Every structure is written in C-alpha cells, then in structure tokens.
Amino acid sequence: MIVEREGRPGVEKPVIPFKSGTFPMNAPIPPETLLANAVALHRTGRLVEAEPLYRTLLERQPGHPDALHLLGVLRSQAGDPAEGASLITDAIARRGNVATYHSNLALALKALGRFAEAEAALRSGFALAPGAGPLVALGGLRRASGRHAEALAAYRTAQIIDPADGAAQEGIAHTTAELDAAGCATGDPKPSDTTLTAYRRAFRLCPAASFTAFNLALTLQKAGDSGAAIPTFQAAAALDPSAPAVLSGLGLSLLSARQADRASTLLARVIRLRPDDAQDRFHLAEAAQAAGEAGRAATAYRDTAALQPTNYTAWENAALLDAREDNGSALAAHARGMMAAARAEHLFWKAPVYIAMHVANDRIGAGRPDAAKQALDHFCQAAAIENRELLPWIDFLRGSLLLRKPGSEEAGRAVLKALVPALPFLRHVTFGDEFDALCRSVPLAELADYRTGFQSEPAVDGVGPLLFAACDNRYLKLFAAPLLLTVDAFCGVGQRMHIHVADPGPDIAEVVAGLRALLRRCRLTVSTERTPPDLDPASRRTLYTCLRLMRAPDVLDLHGRPPLVMIDIDALLPIDPRRLVEAMAPDEEAMLIHRPDSLDCLYNTISNGLIVLRPTASTREVLERTATALLHWMRQRNMAYFLDQIALIQGFADVERRRGPVKILPIEELSRRLGVSDVFLPFFDEKHRAGFTDQLSALTTRIHEETLTDNRSEEERRAALTGLVRRLQAAVLSR
C-alpha cells in the first residue's frame, strides 16, 4: 500500500505566549492561556484533553473564531467531520480572511464526500494565500473524487509555483499509479515508466523522508525489480527502523530475490512489531517454507489461520506441512480448527474435505499411502468432533483409498455402499462391467423415442468447431447473453453456436431473436425439449445439468459431426474456439479436466465445464454411451447431483475397456500450450447469492462494451473480462 505524506498541518500553530505567572487559585484562566493550552494538547494528539478547553473558551466568548476553527478541526480528526465543517463554517462567517480556515473546511467537506463544496473552499483559501499548498490539497481532493487528469493538472501547477515541493511530486506519483491501475482490468498492474520516474523524483526531493523511499521501493517491487527495490527499502528502514510496512516490504523483496533466509529473519521481526496482522504471518510462513524451515512455516500458517480463518491457503499449507513432517498431533488439532471454521462459515462448507484430499493425494504421490490413511484418520476424528456434516465425505475419501490398496477393493466398495444414504451420488458409481450392463438394459425403442423429443432449428453453415451449451429457460435469460457476447468478440466470422433449452418459456422466439441481435460473427441455432412433468425439483435441476451430455449425439448429427466444444452456459470463453482444437495434437481425441489419480476420481475425474472432442469413433461412442446411461437414470427417476460427471467418467472408462485408451489432453496442459491461463471463466456458486442477478445484468452491459472494443489486443480484452468476473464475484460475496 502506498503511504501518503502527512498533510500540511491541519491545526494552525499561533505563536501564543504561555504565561507562567501565578494566578489566584479561584481566578479564571485567561482566554489566551486557555487557547494556548488547548493548542499545545491538540498538537500532541491529546484530543480528549484539548476539546473541553476549546469548549470552555467558547462558553466564555461565544463566536471566538480561532476556537471555533480549531474545535472544528479537532472534531473532524475525532471522526465527526459534519460537526467539524459546521464549526469551521461558523469561524469563517466571523473571520473570513484566514486562508487556513478555508483549507481545513475543505478537509472536513472532503471527508463527507462533498467534493464540489470542498473545492470551492480550497479556491477561497488559494485566493487569500496563493501558493503550492492549496493546489496540492486540490489535487488530493480531485484524486479522491476520481478526477485524475484534473488532479495531475493541479499538482503540476503547484510544482511550477514551487519546483522543490515534495508533496506536489508525490501527488503526481500517486496519481499516475492510480491511472495505471485504472487502465489495468486485473487490478494488479505493473507500474508504468512514468509512475516509476515520478516516485524517483519524489525521493530525490525528500531523501530524508522514509515514506518517499518506501513508496519508491514498493513501486520498484511491483515492477518486478527486486534488485533495485532492496537497497531502496533498506534506505527507508534506515530512516525509520521500526516501521513494520517498510520491513515487510524489504522482507518480501528479499524473498522475491530468493534470499529466503534473510527474508524469514526480517519478517519474524515484523511479527514482533505487528503481532496481530494475519498477512504478516502469512508472509513469514512463505519465507520460512522457501528457506526449508518446515516447522516454523507450519506454525506461521496456523497462526495466520487463527487470525484470518477465511484464509484457505493458510489452512491448506499448514496441513500439508504437518503431514509431510509426520506431525500427527499438530495435524489433528489443525484439522479440528478447520472443521470448526467451516461450520462457522469462515470457509466454504466443503473446504476441509478438499484440504484432506489434497493432503492424502500429496502423501500418495510421495509413495506414502500409510501416511495418507493416517492423515484421513485425523480428519475423520476432527469431523466427528467438530463438523459431523463432513464425516461422510471424509469416509468417502477413506473408502476411495481402500479401492487403491491391493486386496482391499471389496472393503472399499462396502464403505462406499454404506455411504449412499448420506451421499446419494454414490449409487451411480459402477465397477467392472456394470456400466456396460446398464447401457444394454435400455431398449433401442426407448432411445429412439427419447430422440424424437429433440426439436431444433435447421443447422446453419459455419466454420470451426461447434460450440454447444444447454440450459433451462431461466439460465437462458441470465447467462446466454454474456457467453455469446464473449465468444462473438473472440471467434472468427461464421463461428457456429448451438444452445439447447429445456422447458422453454412462451417468449422463447423473442428471447432468441434478442440474442441473435447481439451477434456480429457467431451463427446461433437453438433446440428445445420438454422434460418429464413428474420430476421433483432436485431431480429436475440434476436433469438440466445432464442435458448437454444427453443431447450431444443429436446436436452432432444435426451439424454434421464437427469437432465439439461443450461449455457451461454460466461461464465465459474469452478465446477463439478454433484455437482450442488447433492446440491439440493429431492423436488427442479429447481435452478436458482430467484427474484420474485424485481420491475423488469416482465423481470428479472429469469436470465437464469445458470439454473439446474431436469427431472420432471413440468420442462418439463415449457420448452415446453416456447419454444412454443418463437416460436410464432419468427413466428410473433416480438422479442425484454429480450424475452428469459420473456418467461421463464411466462413459470414457467403458469405451477404453472395450476399444483401448482414448488420448486425453488435460486442460492445464492446453493452457500451457496456448500461453493463456483464463480460457474458461465460470461464475462459480455466486449465482445463488442475493444480489447476483442485478450484478450480472450490470456485468453483461460492461461485457458488451468491452467486447465492442476492437482496438485492444486479445490479451487485454481477456484480462478485462477476467477482472469483470472477479469483481462480480467479490461484489456478491461481500453482501
């Protein structure tokens, strides 16, 4: 965080002699002595003691201008700028020719957000006493109101009046840094050369001020220049050896420069100065871990979690380090704290399960399945004590671990079978040839009957892969526009997009026409179907998640079996779909999230948020077998969450058993090949929170504006969209 220069004194410093003569014990203190005493206390920050002296003086001399002004300044400093502004306004009414009165009124009005009035007050002060000071204050006011270009003009005028004014140069530096941030969609820009130059000039003007050195060092650090940041931080530390922010910045620069030992020592000193700061603890943990101090790092991560129970990474890293060090007692205690944090909603409710799985997978990967079992036992005991809701999930991981142990497969299946009442999706998990038998149990006539429910517009000519999403009527209206706008902004001319809509509303034609009106490059086709009317609400929601897989064979047949890109309707795809296919090697038939080695692989080997399939015999059969299995469960009215993923996982496994391996490109590798991290932007679970619909509507407008900006690079537009989605999530989560 940039450190602001302390403002020019908000309290006038009148030279009032402090009369030391003796007075009779009961004689009133003279007014000038009352004022001098109040000012002396005020200057040293003793506001509670100064205030009654100002008020006593005003009781004796109502309307005393200096007392009104200074009491107004004090009240503003004490957190009541409304009273402060009122008192200073009274002082100005009685003595309007004192420039400082107007400047301090501007500060109070600025604190109230009354920027226009504050600027008028500064202009009045400047008219009475022209100089750099009021212009610097004017620049700060304009910065606060978001008028950065006008702020720069004020600071530069102040600099012309007084080229040696360090405050004006700092203002220029802060403003250019804020302009950098405003022009960067991710919110984490690298400083521009202009900003770096401005901070260097500020430091040259005020080399004895620790905050100017700190601000320059921090800017160099953000620019990735640790080599230059370290000596500058050291200069700031020499000027103010006990400033935690300066020492923390130096420690982080040392860490970036791979001097972890020095960073760890320095950041431990920061902890002693600022013991209650969770971020300091986290930084110490990172440095200690980099330095190979596993015990110290684990302790610091645990301390971070205690201070900031919402910090998922701190919980996770502490658990991983405890498990790697075979520190079972620490892991057990930490797991209990984690379970309690999730129960108190400091963490996502299922976060301890994800962390337990990560710890166990880490130990399995290290060739220590025994350690994985011990870790899961600790999590199981913690759940039994602190959060019984999560106990079935931990037991699921333990059952999955048994499936991997030779000779324990039957025991693992027994564990999973016993968990079905608590985790209904487990009833859909098949082993061996069970999936094949399930698919063969669906009569061909039943499959043919189901396919007649697919009602579609004719296919259109186009290029590239077919982009395909499915949804119900509500999600069509919520999410289709942002998805289509994003694809349309990045795709080539003629890109085909197909949306399958379950249970469409009577205004479906109007909605689709509105969506088509947004498109410049994409060619949209829409299909519909009616789902069984007797489904309970939970089963209907599950069916909606399955329909993309159930209708993929029909959609492919309609469009001539092109390469297929399947995507969640409630996501964005800020990349040309053709690039996804082109990045795949000739023998790679599918691209998707693929986690076959994870303990949750029975339902989460594949997450079907984004899937790319080449039109091969194997992938076609995967889709057909998956659709058949889903139809079976729908006709049985036996559906549970994760059914779509489970069926697809089993569809791939079934085809591989009978045809041989299907070559899969993991999505993480795709990102590396493309050099793009954000090829898929989901909206996560925020859509279920209050206020999401309004926020999404505003976001859709912003996306439309952003995608129409053709003069920006693909990377800039992708970063902008990523920033928009992240801000939407943050805004809804903060409600």
Side-chain angles (χ1 to χ4, degrees), residues 38 121 229 403 470 528 600 606 620:
L403 290 175
T528 62
D600 66 349
I606 296 169
R620 171 73 188 191

Side-chain angles (χ1 to χ4, degrees), residues 281-444:
R281 300 274 180 175
F282 189 80
H283 291 155
L284 173 60
E286 290 181 307
Q289 187 171 6
E293 303 169 342
R296 187 182 201 180
T299 298
Y301 279 128
R302 284 195 294 271
D303 291 344
T304 301
L307 290 167
Q308 189 182 47
T310 57
N311 191 323
Y312 179 94
T313 304
W315 289 106
E316 182 176 55
N317 287 358
L320 282 167
L321 289 171
D322 286 338
R324 289 170 185 171
E325 294 298 305
D326 290 322
N327 192 344
S329 59
L331 179 60
H334 187 64
R336 285 186 60 177
M338 193 187 311
M339 294 288 179
R343 190 186 67 244
E345 298 184 354
H346 297 309
L347 291 169
F348 178 61
W349 72 274
K350 203 177 168 186
V353 179
Y354 297 147
I355 292 173
M357 182 178 67
H358 190 177
V359 170
N361 284 338
D362 180 77
R363 295 297 78 210
I364 293 169
R368 293 282 311 280
D370 58 323
K373 179 184 181 303
Q374 291 166 8
L376 291 177
D377 288 344
H378 289 309
F379 276 93
C380 186
Q381 292 160 10
I385 296 169
E386 296 288 351
N387 195 334
R388 295 192 65 83
E389 180 185 11
L390 296 182
L391 191 55
W393 289 96
I394 303 298
D395 281 336
F396 163 72
L397 297 177
R398 297 204 298 173
S400 297
L401 186 59
L402 285 172
L403 290 175
R404 293 168 182 248
K405 185 178 179 182
S408 299
E409 295 92 340
E410 287 303 319
R413 293 183 191 183
V415 169
L416 299 183
K417 184 176 180 180
L419 289 171
V420 168
L423 304 177
F425 68 86
L426 288 176
R427 67 174 173 259
H428 300 300
V429 174
T430 62
F431 298 97
D433 294 328
E434 294 172 355
F435 184 81
D436 180 60
L438 182 153
C439 289
R440 285 189 285 106
S441 71
V442 179
L444 293 177

Side-chain angles (χ1 to χ4, degrees), residues 54 93 96 142 149 293 340 387 407 552 568 592 602 652 659 690 712:
Y54 286 136
R142 289 173 173 174
E293 303 169 342
N387 195 334
D568 285 339
L592 40 78
L602 292 177
F652 270 98
R659 281 184 171 270
R712 302 179 70 181

Side-chain angles (χ1 to χ4, degrees), residues 447-468:
L447 284 170
D449 180 61
Y450 176 66
R451 298 197 71 171
T452 61
F454 179 77
Q455 303 295 316
S456 180
E457 302 170 324
V460 296
D461 292 333
V463 298
L466 175 67
L467 196 68
F468 174 41

